[in-house]
Amino acid sequence: MNQSLESTLVLCDLDNLLLGADGNLTQVVRDVLQLFSSRGGRFTVFSQRSPRAVRSILGSVRLAAPALVCGGAMAYHYADGTRQPLCSFAGQDADLFAQLPSAAGVGIALQMTDGTTRVLRMSNALERHLQQEWTPYLLANAADIKGENVLRVLLYQDSKAVPMVSLLGKALGDHTAVLLGERAAPDTLLLTPKTVSGKEMLDAVCGPAGVEPENVLVLAGGMPMLELVRAASRSAAAADAPAELRLAAQNVTLTDASAGAAVEVLYRMVRDAEKSV
């Protein structure tokens, strides 16, 4: 095995770079990941999905370090099941989750510190996302939820006409001043109690894996990884990544995300390592 591959950990955008149209890892990605690992390459992923959803997608693919799941709000180590939440709703009012909008066509899900997804209210959009993203879930009552057990709140709207931001403001009142809202998709709004910095995410991955942050290569395809790209000393973005992401990255791939940007980078690393032997 080549030492130059062993000394680098690749942290890759699972959602935007590795998955095909059906939501699975494509065969060419699986083949290159196997080649990369067989040559001593070290690999892990970043995803908006829950730990269980990421595991079901990865299948037999083994990770060499904790994965950043739930949009970087948790570092999850599949090797031993340990997890490190990087934020929670601890300290928020006990009735916060009961005050979330109850309007028709609005679904509400919670990503929990124990790695599960809890659904407070189902909607068509939420059901569609759960199926597309391979996410197992449990139904829950808002009155039974404790803030310290919640990483993020995800709200899904069935129609673009649903005034989500306005509904949140009316339902939560002063709570909105301490929560961060982010539009993750046209029909999805995320609520978090804080922004998790790129440095926090890198440290959570590097510590358990015994890797120095400067030896991490961040391979990004979507805006959720922007903070990681900014914090990393080594990074690459897909050719069709958002402009802000491409400007922040040290390198930009020759190919688009769906055309194999991740495969391009990983295969080039293997080829370069073999040339240096």
Side-chain angles (χ1 to χ4, degrees), residues 8-273:
T8 299
L9 173 68
V10 176
L11 174 56
C12 188
D13 187 340
L14 173 70
D15 304 341
N16 293 292
L17 293 182
L18 300 180
L19 303 182
D22 62 354
N24 282 302
L25 293 178
T26 63
Q27 189 58 51
V28 68
V29 164
R30 288 186 182 276
D31 290 345
V32 171
L33 283 176
Q34 183 177 15
L35 174 66
F36 183 73
S37 298
S38 70
R39 297 294 192 275
R42 305 172 71 186
F43 181 83
T44 192
V45 297
F46 173 98
S47 177
Q48 294 285 353
R49 294 166 167 79
S50 69
R52 293 183 183 181
V54 170
R55 180 71 274 166
S56 66
I57 290 170
L58 290 175
S60 61
V61 174
R62 299 185 65 181
L63 302 181
L68 288 171
V69 296
C70 302
M74 176 190 288
Y76 195 94
H77 204 331
Y78 290 99
D80 57 13
T82 58
R83 56 187 180 270
Q84 180 185 351
L86 302 183
C87 68
S88 78
F89 280 81
Q92 301 289 337
D93 289 351
D95 62 349
L96 170 65
F97 305 106
Q99 293 182 24
L100 291 167
S102 58
V106 175
I108 303 173
L110 311 177
Q111 289 179 329
M112 311 295 289
T113 58
D114 64 0
T116 62
T117 295
R118 308 290 177 92
V119 170
L120 299 185
R121 190 172 299 114
M122 188 62 78
S123 71
N124 292 330
L126 172 52
E127 185 175 17
R128 183 172 63 252
H129 276 271
L130 291 170
Q131 292 175 348
Q132 289 175 344
E133 298 167 13
W134 300 79
T135 301
Y137 66 93
L138 301 169
L139 296 175
N141 188 318
D144 299 327
I145 301 296
K146 296 181 179 179
E148 61 267 25
N149 297 328
V150 181
L151 293 171
R152 303 196 301 177
V153 177
L154 299 89
L155 298 107
Y156 300 85
Q157 58 192 97
D158 289 349
S159 168
K160 293 181 180 179
V162 175
M164 186 74 79
V165 175
S166 176
L167 287 173
L168 276 171
K170 292 178 181 179
L172 297 181
D174 293 340
H175 286 306
T176 57
V178 295
L179 300 179
L180 298 166
E182 176 187 0
R183 180 68 68 173
D187 62 354
T188 310
L189 190 71
L190 304 178
L191 287 182
T192 57
K194 58 169 276 191
T195 296
V196 180
S197 72
K199 183 180 184 305
E200 286 178 285
M201 288 188 273
L202 280 178
D203 288 346
V205 169
C206 294
V211 178
E212 296 297 326
E214 57 267 24
N215 290 333
V216 176
L217 168 62
V218 173
L219 181 53
M223 283 298 288
M225 291 192 77
L226 181 60
E227 288 300 314
L228 271 170
V229 168
R230 287 174 171 168
S233 56
R234 303 170 63 187
S235 58
D240 59 345
E244 193 172 1
L245 193 64
R246 286 184 278 117
L247 289 171
Q250 279 77 39
N251 296 287
V252 176
T253 64
L254 299 173
T255 54
D256 293 348
S258 61
V263 168
E264 175 192 324
V265 172
L266 295 173
Y267 185 74
R268 183 184 298 165
M269 290 178 69
V270 172
R271 185 184 59 194
D272 291 347

